[in-house]
Amino acid sequence: MNAQDTTPSSLAPGSSSFDPGMTLEQACHIDLHLHSTASDGRLSPQELMRLCHHRGLSCAALTDHDTIDGVEAAAHEARALGMTLVPGAELSTRWQGVGIHVVAMWHGQAQAPMTALLERLAQARHDRALEIATRLEKAGLDNALERAREQSPGARLLGRPDFARALVAAGLVPDMTRAFKRYLGAGKTGDVKVHWPTLEETLESVRRAGGVAVVAHPLRYGLTRRRLGLLLDEFAALGGEGAELISGYQNDNRSRDLVSLLDKRGLYASLGSDFHYPGGALAPGTLSAAPRSQLLPIWQHPRLAPAFERP
Ligand code: AMP
Ligand code: MN
Ligand code: MN
Ligand code: MN
């Protein structure tokens, strides 16, 4: 049975309530990392909100890659469903040669420094797509840019998944996993990061826009524990507020280790599924449980708390 076909007993449609006083361990009805068709998700913002509601969520953040194009439609739908939508985006950055994702969230409208950053990211994504296309052409994918565009519905900006699907469609690889493994994953020819703003520039923009920034899925960069510590040191020193303690399904031992890494730096904890499409292992609100800790949840951050109030 697919995860999205079941509703965990703790989550029942229509019975959702969000208590800002709840701890991380108690956290339910909440998912602060979700994608829609505004980036590489497969559900429209409205469909996504309806699925969240169906799964008993009372509070969700839309965090599309480098865009807030879906936020207004999602907020509108969420309001109609009696849910809270926290505006956000998953921002592409670079740090020490690694592509690091930063989830930014804020209360109310996106402020000028945020819209300026998003414009810059749109340009970066455009320039990066040209370079990825050139590289994949050298690797044997003719007309790579057009082929990737064929995989991208509407006018949204191209991402690596569009190139991955183009590689599959052209028969160069059997599936998406292999496309990333051979061509687009970390360190491969199509993994182009130079266009992204630095972590420092990104955090400055988020701060000036009145938002809060958390490190997305800290365990998914393949960093050693020491380097992850360095990343979190620098993130905190640059004014970053937190990190995702839980991203989807996660090993309990690693979660406990993350608790101490965050605690040591006074970082808030966030959590989210990183849901992209139905049919996979994940659904909105499917998360491993957070271990017991003294960490503060990001919904209690003074700058962000108003965004979590009931509509
Ligand atoms: P981009 O934001 O354009 O750099 O593309 C990164 C996105 O590609 C991630 O957010 C995932 O949605 C997707 N992705 C990364 N690795 C894989 C993989 N191994 N298989 C399928 N999709 C992946
Ligand atoms: Mn993605
Ligand atoms: Mn990510
Ligand atoms: Mn994501």
Side-chain angles (χ1 to χ4, degrees):
M1 201 187 304
N2 288 329
Q4 80 282 356
D5 296 334
T6 63
T7 302
S9 53
S10 60
L11 302 176
S15 72
S16 55
S17 68
F18 177 75
D19 168 15
M22 77 183 173
T23 66
L24 290 155
E25 292 162 73
Q26 301 161 336
C28 60
H29 310 304
I30 184 164
D31 192 329
L32 302 179
H33 191 146
L34 298 161
H35 293 273
S36 77
T37 48
S39 66
D40 59 1
R42 289 192 208 150
L43 299 183
S44 70
Q46 291 92 336
E47 289 168 332
L48 177 67
M49 290 303 108
R50 288 198 286 271
L51 178 59
C52 287
H53 183 252
H54 175 73
R55 292 189 47 77
L57 298 190
S58 58
C59 192
L62 184 64
T63 58
D64 274 308
H65 295 285
D66 305 324
T67 181
I68 55 170
D69 284 355
V71 166
E72 204 179 307
H76 191 265
E77 187 69 22
R79 221 172 293 126
L81 295 164
M83 279 173 53
T84 303
L85 188 274
V86 177
E90 183 175 12
L91 307 168
S92 305
T93 82
R94 66 192 150 90
W95 173 79
Q96 295 193 356
V98 188
I100 298 292
H101 287 175
V102 171
V103 164
M105 293 175 277
W106 53 89
H107 172 54
Q109 296 291 315
Q111 300 295 302
M114 179 56 62
T115 49
L117 176 66
L118 292 169
E119 271 168 38
R120 185 163 164 212
L121 283 161
Q123 185 64 46
R125 215 164 245 285
H126 173 82
D127 297 345
R128 183 187 72 148
L130 298 183
E131 182 155 349
I132 293 176
T134 304
R135 289 175 174 217
L136 290 183
E137 275 167 20
K138 280 187 194 139
L141 183 69
D142 298 336
N143 301 318
L145 197 62
E146 282 136 63
R147 288 173 189 260
R149 284 219 177 94
E150 281 167 19
Q151 303 295 328
S152 161
R156 70 168 173 73
L157 293 157
L158 293 180
R160 281 183 287 168
D162 302 311
F163 287 99
R165 277 193 298 277
L167 286 161
V168 176
L172 268 77
V173 283
D175 54 43
M176 293 280 283
T177 305
R178 241 72 62 97
F180 272 89
K181 207 166 174 181
R182 289 191 205 153
Y183 295 98
L184 294 156
K188 301 299 170 188
T189 186
D191 175 33
V192 179
K193 294 161 301 234
V194 291
H195 303 88
W196 301 136
T198 63
L199 185 64
E200 180 172 6
E201 292 165 319
T202 303
L203 292 178
E204 198 198 329
S205 297
V206 176
R207 184 184 56 73
R208 285 176 47 229
V212 305
V214 303
V215 178
H217 43 68
L219 300 176
R220 256 188 276 149
Y221 303 111
L223 299 174
T224 60
R225 190 175 191 279
R226 200 185 75 82
R227 270 195 98 206
L228 179 55
L230 287 177
L231 168 64
L232 295 174
D233 282 343
E234 209 166 316
F235 192 82
L238 292 170
E241 278 80 12
E244 289 179 347
L245 175 63
I246 303 291
S247 174
Y249 294 118
Q250 202 168 289
N251 176 289
D252 285 342
N253 290 327
R254 300 203 75 190
S255 301
R256 275 191 287 273
D257 190 39
L258 259 186
V259 165
S260 65
L261 288 169
L262 268 58
D263 192 35
K264 209 175 135 195
R265 293 158 180 91
L267 290 166
Y268 283 75
S270 186
L271 37 85
S273 62
D274 205 359
F275 172 79
H276 282 73
Y277 53 86
L282 286 170
T286 52
L287 300 171
S288 297
R292 187 178 308 192
S293 78
Q294 302 290 315
L295 296 176
L296 287 173
I298 197 74
W299 50 87
Q300 288 171 16
H301 189 286
R303 257 201 327 282
L304 199 57
F308 288 90
E309 280 160 18
R310 300 291 291 170

